Amino acid sequence: MKKYYLVVVACICALGMTACGNRATQGQSENERFSAEQGQEDESSDGNPMVEIQNYEHYSGDWSVGGISHDTLLRDGGAELHCTIINGNEFSGRMYTQQELTDRVAEIDGIAGTIENGELYYNFEDDGFEGSGTLYIQFLENRIRIEVLDYHMAESNLSGYGISGVYEMTRLSETVWIPEVGQDPSGDVLPGTTKGELTYAEMLDKFYERHYSGMSPEELETFINLRADYYRASTYHDEVVYYWENTREVRDVANVLEPLYFTDMKYYTKEDFADDPPLIINLAKNEIYARWGYIFKNQDLQNYFMGCAWYEPLYTAEEFDTSVFNEYERKNLELLAELDAQ
């Protein structure tokens, strides 16, 4: 169920996903220097220069953005490259990325080709989201740089996610993330070791099932477009978008499809909101009311929640009954009201 709904997520205003079409000048100069160090010229019998095959086999292994371990990537998101190089410059490998929070995964398998002068080009037709383009891979000093050229996002991909942009890879860290008691290596909670709270992925599944199970991707996209004017009309719009992009590192429209917090399914603590500005604290508090159809008298709040695809205005302040709140919501509302008053 989760996999289907992740495809449903729209990318009307996805940012930072357009691949660059030009090579970096600095990368070229590094390649030229590195090639001069690795390759040697000789002369053939007819007097023409002959270049020996350069050896790149020492690049074989695992690389990632920031050098993070695979376990850390599964927990926090990131990108990694696994490669094997034989006969000096014959490359084979795969590239894998995972987005934090949503657990979206993109992958290009079967990457293959011959490295020439520290460079490799590989055309791909599907990154797991039917995206296509060309991987321009540079083998630089102590790092591998991957730039996606001519990236084309499939029309069926409403999430905006895929393998695009630029990735600076360093050798995979030897540091291994050690899970806390009650967690498996992926970071998920093991059954029977906590109070039974759901993992983020499970809460996301339940949320999508509850709000979007009866909608096709096309219907959902149309609905989001209809609500977009409300969202933009709210004076909170810019700050909320900035928060999602820079604190949550989410650059698709999850900010209108998903809640700020799952306050109806999890007990939160003060530490969970430590990085949140006052506006987000206030919206998270009011989100508990909005979940049950509360119609806000404050026009900015009403516009903001009308821009959220999951919100359905049902009850005026006079009609609303707080007895609908469950225990999670009551406890979280108490905490958020305290933080909002500070």
Side-chain angles (χ1 to χ4, degrees):
M1 183 63 68
K2 177 182 175 185
K3 183 176 181 181
Y4 170 77
Y5 287 119
L6 290 181
V7 174
V8 167
V9 180
C11 82
I12 301 163
C13 58
L15 301 176
M17 303 299 290
T18 303
C20 301
N22 300 316
R23 304 178 193 174
T25 304
Q26 181 180 358
Q28 287 180 317
S29 62
E30 287 187 63
N31 273 340
E32 291 168 0
R33 183 180 71 253
F34 187 72
S35 297
E37 294 172 353
Q38 294 292 310
Q40 294 180 347
E41 288 192 358
D42 201 348
E43 286 192 1
S44 61
S45 57
D46 60 4
N48 293 321
M50 179 176 63
V51 180
E52 295 181 356
I53 295 177
Q54 299 163 346
N55 194 316
Y56 298 90
E57 293 179 6
H58 60 286
Y59 283 96
S60 293
D62 298 327
W63 301 74
S64 68
V65 173
I68 63 173
S69 68
H70 182 69
D71 286 342
T72 302
L73 180 148
L74 292 177
R75 177 168 57 94
D76 298 333
E80 62 186 11
L81 174 73
H82 308 274
C83 62
T84 301
I85 302 172
I86 61 174
N87 298 326
N89 64 347
E90 295 177 13
F91 178 99
S92 63
R94 61 183 284 265
M95 184 175 176
Y96 174 92
T97 69
Q98 179 169 312
Q99 188 178 43
E100 187 181 8
L101 292 179
T102 65
D103 290 337
R104 294 187 182 95
V105 169
E107 181 178 11
I108 301 174
D109 204 359
I111 304 171
T114 300
I115 305 169
E116 296 182 358
N117 296 321
E119 301 176 333
L120 171 68
Y121 291 87
Y122 178 77
N123 297 324
F124 66 94
E125 296 183 354
D126 188 1
D127 58 1
F129 287 79
E130 300 183 357
S132 61
T134 300
L135 295 181
Y136 168 46
I137 307 175
Q138 296 175 287
F139 298 85
L140 306 173
E141 200 168 352
N142 300 319
R143 63 193 174 97
I144 295 178
R145 183 180 188 272
I146 301 176
E147 181 178 352
V148 183
L149 306 176
D150 303 321
Y151 182 71
H152 176 73
M153 185 181 298
E155 292 182 1
S156 59
N157 177 13
L158 299 181
S159 72
Y161 192 63
I163 294 180
S164 64
V166 177
Y167 303 85
E168 298 282 350
M169 303 275 192
T170 54
R171 183 75 68 173
L172 200 70
S173 171
E174 297 297 328
T175 303
V176 177
W177 175 66
I178 302 176
E180 298 176 359
V181 176
Q183 293 182 313
D184 67 17
S186 70
D188 286 344
V189 179
L190 295 175
T193 57
T194 69
K195 295 180 180 180
E197 291 186 348
L198 301 172
T199 65
Y200 184 91
E202 290 170 335
M203 291 187 290
L204 191 63
D205 273 349
K206 286 182 175 293
F207 181 85
Y208 273 82
E209 176 69 25
R210 180 189 306 161
H211 295 282
Y212 308 125
S213 60
M215 303 177 72
S216 68
E218 293 76 16
E219 290 172 334
L220 185 55
E221 181 179 9
T222 299
F223 187 68
I224 291 172
N225 287 332
L226 290 173
R227 290 286 192 94
D229 286 341
Y230 287 103
Y231 194 57
R232 287 191 289 265
S234 172
T235 59
Y236 307 146
H237 173 269
D238 291 349
E239 186 173 347
V240 172
V241 171
Y242 182 88
Y243 168 79
W244 277 92
E245 292 182 353
N246 294 278
T247 301
R248 298 288 186 92
E249 297 184 355
V250 174
R251 293 174 172 82
D252 52 30
V253 290
N255 57 335
V256 298
L257 284 174
E258 300 168 12
L260 288 166
Y261 288 97
F262 297 103
T263 45
D264 60 331
M265 291 185 270
K266 170 184 170 64
Y267 291 114
Y268 288 93
T269 65
K270 288 183 179 181
E271 288 71 24
D272 293 313
F273 305 104
D275 296 328
D276 290 354
L279 173 61
I280 299 302
I281 297 293
N282 181 263
L283 292 178
K285 180 188 73 174
N286 284 291
E287 191 173 70
I288 297 175
Y289 289 86
R291 183 181 296 115
W292 291 98
Y294 186 94
I295 299 173
F296 297 89
K297 294 181 179 180
N298 180 292
Q299 194 59 51
D300 275 323
L301 279 174
Q302 187 63 23
N303 283 337
Y304 167 77
F305 286 111
M306 280 296 293
C308 297
W310 52 267
Y311 173 68
E312 184 180 4
L314 296 173
Y315 307 106
T316 64
E318 293 74 24
E319 298 169 332
F320 192 79
D321 186 354
T322 58
S323 66
V324 296
F325 295 154
N326 65 24
E327 188 59 28
Y328 288 116
E329 290 169 315
R330 293 181 187 282
K331 291 293 185 181
N332 289 322
L333 182 57
E334 181 180 334
L335 171 61
L336 286 165
E338 176 187 340
L339 295 175
D340 191 39
Q342 294 178 359

